[in-house]
Amino acid sequence: MPLHGPPLPTPVRVCVVTDPDGAETDPEVAGALRRAAGALADAGYLVEEGQAPALARASEIYTQIMSSYGRVHRDQPPVEAVASPGFVHFWQAYEPIWTRAAGEQAFDPMMERASIARLWSAWMSRTPLVLAPIRTRPAFRVGSDLDPRWLADWPDTMRLAVAVNLLGLPAVAVPVGPAGDLPHAVQIIGPRFREDLCLDAAAVVEAATGALTPIDPR
């Protein structure tokens, strides 16, 4: 594939997704999206809010496909024999959440993945760039992933990052500055093989945000 694809009609449309199929977006994350959207609009992009197709089902299909590569063989050693105590504790809490996240079993997960990919391809033919949260909650503090209460909504809040991985779409994570004492970033998603569009838009956001380093470790 060429490094740069054919130019798009201008202004390039950007869909801002703030409500990933009902996964409520934290106000700080929504603020990060607004800052990035403002930078793109100021640079001449046509920025509109919208909804990505089949996000909830994409998350379920991703979980089903990944589960098929998981611990399904009886000859595999138990987790306790190969993982750290911290991971064992995490997996004990997360395994039932992961199982529920698979939703209704597809007849053929890869076939349903292809159907979802077709929906996204048709959608992105009209709106080639998507501005979205990586996760609809702020960055988590060290150790949060060992709390079952914190883990409960993890699959729902990660839908947009999961969909990108399921469908093989390019995406760029762009820092947009801290909120409180935690860093925030957004992602810019593009059509297949159009990394150049993602990088161009990411450069606009990065230029508007300014340098964010060095970081004071906390």
Side-chain angles (χ1 to χ4, degrees):
M1 296 300 297
L3 292 177
H4 298 280
L8 298 180
T10 55
V12 177
R13 302 174 76 96
V14 180
C15 180
V16 184
V17 177
T18 59
D19 179 23
D21 267 6
E24 184 179 352
T25 301
D26 183 271
E28 291 184 353
V29 177
L33 286 170
R34 286 194 298 271
R35 292 195 296 276
L40 292 171
D42 290 344
Y45 288 82
L46 178 58
V47 180
E48 304 168 315
E49 286 197 17
Q51 182 62 46
L55 273 179
R57 189 55 178 164
S59 180
E60 293 173 351
I61 293 300
Y62 171 88
T63 305
Q64 292 178 28
I65 292 172
M66 294 302 293
S67 294
S68 69
Y69 293 95
R71 306 186 56 77
V72 296
H73 301 292
R74 293 183 178 179
D75 58 348
Q76 287 183 326
V79 172
E80 293 80 3
V82 295
S84 66
F87 182 83
V88 171
H89 177 72
F90 159 80
W91 188 243
Q92 287 173 345
Y94 190 58
E95 185 174 21
I97 298 170
W98 170 268
T99 301
R100 289 194 300 272
E104 182 180 352
Q105 183 63 40
F107 172 74
D108 183 336
M110 292 301 292
M111 183 184 298
E112 193 163 343
R113 175 202 173 275
S115 297
I116 296 171
R118 186 168 61 249
L119 288 174
W120 273 68
S121 179
W123 176 53
M124 298 187 84
S125 68
R126 301 184 298 270
T127 305
L129 288 176
V130 180
L131 174 63
I134 298 171
R135 181 172 178 260
T136 60
R137 300 286 185 271
F140 58 88
R141 299 182 185 279
V142 174
S144 297
D145 55 340
L146 300 181
D147 183 349
R149 296 169 298 177
W150 184 89
L151 286 170
D153 67 356
W154 180 263
D156 293 346
T157 60
M158 287 291 294
R159 282 176 181 158
L160 275 156
V162 163
V164 169
N165 284 275
L166 174 73
L167 303 177
L169 299 175
V172 179
V174 190
V176 291
D181 61 348
L182 292 174
H184 278 276
V186 297
Q187 62 174 330
I188 298 172
I189 307 165
R192 295 187 69 193
F193 309 119
R194 292 308 306 263
E195 283 85 350
D196 58 325
L197 298 178
C198 299
L199 291 168
D200 288 346
V204 168
V205 176
E206 187 176 54
T209 302
L212 301 175
T213 55
I215 298 170
D216 180 18
R218 292 188 286 277

